[in-house]
């Protein structure tokens, strides 16, 4: 009988191309080719040593010595690119991290969904309005949100634009973070927060402000934040042509995706034998894996083995996004099974993506209460199994938008449209972001008490 010799499959930055792929825009091939050639010649966006710095920091998370805050837009847009908005995005993340470190008593690793979060997976490939059916909006790196054929066509030149927007955003972030924490945050506008029903927390903010002030008087220089040491970026590694072009090797022949410090595998692209998992399996970056109600344990098990064959600490972050109605059952089951595998993984909660629904008028929203409650379950369940929670993951903006329903902020299903500005999923606004940070302190305080 003829013996079947298995083909040895060696990873390379382009080996994903031989495999089936989900959520990949059908780009015009010749134009894509030209663009990709250009992208290959571009310099890395993130220096390799910074990716290694994040890896080291994540090892501390594995030892329960630090906590991660991932936050930012669902989808960045080219039109949002301006100094003041980037500055405010940074401020809200730093404010939340200060609140969290005050309550959790650990350093907070700040990772922004910024400088690269330009591509979106979609549950439906097309969108129909009336009798017109067009490709769905897949993020500014792919097409434009406006509903007409020209805007919705997939345009590879947008990848180049995404690169330059990321580079310039990184540049702004680097200059903004080279300051003392006091200067980064500026003045807390407490009057704005008073509108929301969290005014008792104002005293906590005042305490934090006093502590910060004391810190900066004692030792100003050392309290400066340096980009790579304290602040990192992340996005979903969705557009593999783009990610591949920015994947560079160092002298040890190790490969790094220099498009961002951390990249994650989206919920819709988590098939162990498909292209996205293949691509991610060869890079050194830390990797997030979105885990939701439809993620099978067998798939997840295979994915983790493939992405972390050496079972390194801090390499894999499971980003749990079950939704408030499923987390209790699903997370308990998953934890029990994972314990038996000995996989070294970090556990993070994304209480946003499992809680999305549409209002009667067709606006995607999330209930702030559901977000809070999913977090409660997450911390409670991990505590039962003695697993340290690694962090939290939010979609938010410093703007006073009305995208997530929240009685205490006077946002109801009937008025979400009033200031609804997101390019994709509904985000927490400024007040809700501060509120959620205080809530985490309360939840973790209670679960430790
Ligand atoms: C996201 O993080 O914006 C996203 C699309 O998440 P998920 O893959 O979990 O649905
Ligand atoms: Co989203």
């Amino acid at each position: 009988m003829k013996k079947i010799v298995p083909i040895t499959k060696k990873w390379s930055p382009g080996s994903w191309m031989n495999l089936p792929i989900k959520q990949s825009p059908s780009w015009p091939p010749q134009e894509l080719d030209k663009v990709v050639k250009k992208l290959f010649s571009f310099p890395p966006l993130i220096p390799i040593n910074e990716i290694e710095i994040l890896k080291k920091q994540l090892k501390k998370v594995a030892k329960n010595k630090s906590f991660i805050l991932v936050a930012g837009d669902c989808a960045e847009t080219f039109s949002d690119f301006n100094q003041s908005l980037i500055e405010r995005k940074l401020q809200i993340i730093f404010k939340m991290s200060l609140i969290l470190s005050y309550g959790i008593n650990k350093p907070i690793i700040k990772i922004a969904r910024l400088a690269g979060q330009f591509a979106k997976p979609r549950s439906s490939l097309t969108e129909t309005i009336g009798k017109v059916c067009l490709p769905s909006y897949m993020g500014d790196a792919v097409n434009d949100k406006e509903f007409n054929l020209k805007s919705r066509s997939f345009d590879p030149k947008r990848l180049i634009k995404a690169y330059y927007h990321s580079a310039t955003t990184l540049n702004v972030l680097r200059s903004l973070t080279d300051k003392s924490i006091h200067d980064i945050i500026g003045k807390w506008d407490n009057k704005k927060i008073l509108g929301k029903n969290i005014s008792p927390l104002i005293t906590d903010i005042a305490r934090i402000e006093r502590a910060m002030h004391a810190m900066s008087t004692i030792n100003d220089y050392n309290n400066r934040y340096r980009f790579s040491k304290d602040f990192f970026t992340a996005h979903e590694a969705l557009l593999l042509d783009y990610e591949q072009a920015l994947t560079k090797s160092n002298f040890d022949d190790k490969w790094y995706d220099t498009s961002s410090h951390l990249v994650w595998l989206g919920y819709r692209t988590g098939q162990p034998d498909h292209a996205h998992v293949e691509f991610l399996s060869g890079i050194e970056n830390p990797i997030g894996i979105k885990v939701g109600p439809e993620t099978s344990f067998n798939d997840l098990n295979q994915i983790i083995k493939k992405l972390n064959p050496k079972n390194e600490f801090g390499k894999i972050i499971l980003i749990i996004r079950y939704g408030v109605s499923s987390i209790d059952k699903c997370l308990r089951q998953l934890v029990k099974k994972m314990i038996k595998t000995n996989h070294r993984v970090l556990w993070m909660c994304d209480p946003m993506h499992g809680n999305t629904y549409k209002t009667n008028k067709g606006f995607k929203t999330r209930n702030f209460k559901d977000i809070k409650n999913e977090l409660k379950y997450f911390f409670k369940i991990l505590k039962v199994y003695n697993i340290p929670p690694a962090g939290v993951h939010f979609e938010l903006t410093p703007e006073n938008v009305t995208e997530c329903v929240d009685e205490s902020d006077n946002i109801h299903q009937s008025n979400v449209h009033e200031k609804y500005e997101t390019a994709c999923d509904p985000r927490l606004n400024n007040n809700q972001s501060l509120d959620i940070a205080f809530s985490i302190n309360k939840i973790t305080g209670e679960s430790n008490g």
Side-chain angles (χ1 to χ4, degrees):
M1 218 171 77
K2 210 170 155 195
K3 202 172 153 204
I4 300 170
V5 183
I7 307 164
T8 30
K9 289 186 208 142
K10 198 172 172 316
W11 182 90
S12 71
S15 54
W16 61 271
M17 287 187 177
N18 304 319
L19 296 171
I21 186 164
K22 300 240 181 198
Q23 297 283 340
S24 175
S26 34
W27 302 107
Q30 281 172 356
E31 283 171 48
L32 177 68
D33 229 42
K34 271 192 225 151
V35 162
V36 167
K37 272 194 191 114
K38 245 192 186 168
L39 279 171
F40 264 99
S41 69
F42 286 177
L45 286 172
I46 302 290
I48 285 175
N49 74 307
E50 288 191 3
I51 298 171
E52 284 297 338
I53 292 175
L54 176 60
K55 284 188 90 171
K56 276 202 194 111
Q57 295 218 10
L58 295 184
K59 287 197 173 42
K60 289 191 195 149
V61 180
K63 291 184 184 152
N64 202 9
K65 295 210 163 108
S66 298
F67 189 80
I68 311 164
L69 169 65
V70 181
D73 284 299
C74 176
E76 283 176 88
T77 59
F78 296 156
S79 61
D80 260 2
F81 179 72
N82 70 70
Q83 168 91 14
S84 143
L85 187 55
I86 298 172
E87 194 161 348
R88 278 177 294 123
K89 284 180 183 179
L90 191 80
Q91 278 173 347
I92 187 68
I93 295 174
F94 273 79
K95 280 181 183 173
M96 288 174 79
S97 85
L98 257 189
I99 295 171
L100 288 172
S101 59
Y102 173 74
I104 295 179
N105 223 350
K106 283 182 198 154
I108 308 295
I109 300 173
K110 295 161 280 298
I111 305 181
R113 290 173 62 117
L114 255 180
Q117 179 55 15
F118 289 109
K120 296 312 300 169
R122 303 313 305 252
S123 21
S124 171
L125 292 180
T126 55
E127 184 181 346
T128 305
I129 300 184
K131 285 185 185 153
V132 185
C133 176
L134 295 173
S136 293
Y137 169 63
M138 289 193 73
D140 275 14
V142 180
N143 55 3
D144 190 276
K145 198 168 164 57
E146 220 171 289
F147 193 77
N148 62 60
L149 185 58
K150 188 165 180 288
S151 302
R152 288 294 173 93
S153 304
F154 301 141
D155 178 3
K157 287 195 287 303
R158 287 177 164 269
L159 294 172
I160 304 273
K161 220 169 159 187
Y163 174 91
Y164 284 126
H165 270 82
S166 303
T168 329
T169 305
L170 283 164
N171 200 30
V172 176
L173 290 173
R174 283 174 201 283
S175 69
L176 288 174
T177 45
D178 191 23
K179 292 178 182 170
S180 76
I181 178 82
H182 211 63
D183 291 338
I184 293 174
I185 286 186
K187 258 191 106 47
W188 298 65
D189 192 353
N190 294 349
K191 272 198 216 91
K192 260 197 218 153
I193 308 166
L194 278 169
K196 189 168 162 67
N197 209 359
I198 54 167
S199 39
L201 304 172
I202 298 294
T203 36
D204 279 344
I205 291 186
R207 264 191 220 126
I208 296 174
E209 270 193 300
R210 277 201 300 276
M212 263 171 58
H213 193 72
M215 247 163 57
S216 62
T217 351
I218 296 164
N219 196 350
D220 185 43
Y221 184 78
N222 288 338
N223 288 326
R224 267 165 187 261
Y225 273 68
R226 269 204 323 199
F227 192 77
S228 58
K229 195 169 143 281
D230 302 285
F231 193 82
F232 302 91
T233 56
H235 64 255
E236 176 173 348
L238 185 74
L239 304 175
L240 296 184
D241 296 286
Y242 178 84
E243 303 298 334
Q244 179 191 348
L246 290 174
T247 296
K248 318 276 179 191
S249 66
N250 69 356
F251 296 117
D252 299 334
D253 242 3
K254 287 183 176 166
W255 293 89
Y256 293 79
D257 183 347
T258 68
S259 68
S260 123
H261 298 96
L262 178 133
V263 281
W264 73 83
L265 176 69
Y267 182 45
R268 291 162 192 80
T269 45
Q271 301 78 26
D273 52 356
H274 277 44
H276 287 87
V277 174
E278 168 68 15
F279 170 73
L280 293 171
S281 70
I283 57 169
E284 296 294 321
N285 306 53
I287 297 170
I289 303 175
K290 292 282 197 126
V291 180
E294 282 171 35
T295 308
S296 85
F297 175 73
N298 280 346
D299 281 359
L300 185 60
N301 192 27
Q302 284 184 56
I303 293 171
I304 298 170
K305 276 189 197 155
K306 210 166 164 185
L307 300 191
N308 192 18
K310 293 191 208 130
N311 209 11
E312 278 176 70
F313 271 120
K315 162 88 188 181
I316 300 290
I317 305 173
L318 297 185
I319 309 173
I320 303 300
R321 36 89 81 221
Y322 284 125
V324 71
S325 55
S326 308
I327 186 167
D328 194 21
K329 187 165 158 246
C330 294
L331 184 57
R332 281 175 202 276
Q333 283 176 352
L334 177 66
V335 167
K336 281 189 214 156
K337 289 181 180 165
M338 286 296 290
I339 288 171
K340 290 188 189 145
T341 64
N342 286 322
H343 285 316
R344 289 171 175 153
V345 294
L346 301 179
W347 297 79
M348 172 179 282
C349 184
D350 162 1
M352 312 297 291
H353 286 90
N355 293 315
T356 320
Y357 67 94
K358 273 193 181 165
T359 66
N360 296 341
K361 286 189 188 140
F363 286 89
K364 262 203 209 177
T365 189
R366 292 158 174 158
N367 291 347
F368 189 62
K369 262 196 191 145
D370 293 343
I371 294 169
K372 251 190 196 174
N373 284 334
E374 184 164 359
L375 282 167
K376 276 189 195 160
Y377 277 115
F378 173 78
F379 287 104
K380 193 174 109 193
I381 297 166
L382 290 195
K383 184 158 170 54
V384 171
Y385 294 94
N386 214 5
I387 296 173
V392 284
H393 186 127
F394 296 109
E395 288 182 340
L396 55 81
T397 169
E399 309 284 71
N400 282 323
V401 297
T402 54
E403 293 166 8
C404 291
V405 169
D406 179 5
E407 313 277 305
S408 76
D409 210 15
N410 208 14
I411 307 172
H412 310 276
Q413 281 201 40
S414 54
N415 67 341
V416 281
H417 62 275
E418 279 174 7
K419 205 164 180 326
Y420 194 93
E421 295 173 355
T422 182
C424 194
D425 287 339
R427 303 159 297 175
L428 300 178
N429 62 26
N430 186 72
N431 288 351
Q432 291 169 331
S433 304
L434 297 175
D435 189 344
I436 209 78
F438 280 114
S439 304
I440 293 169
N441 287 353
K442 192 158 177 281
I443 298 167
T444 52
E446 280 165 5
S447 70
N448 291 331

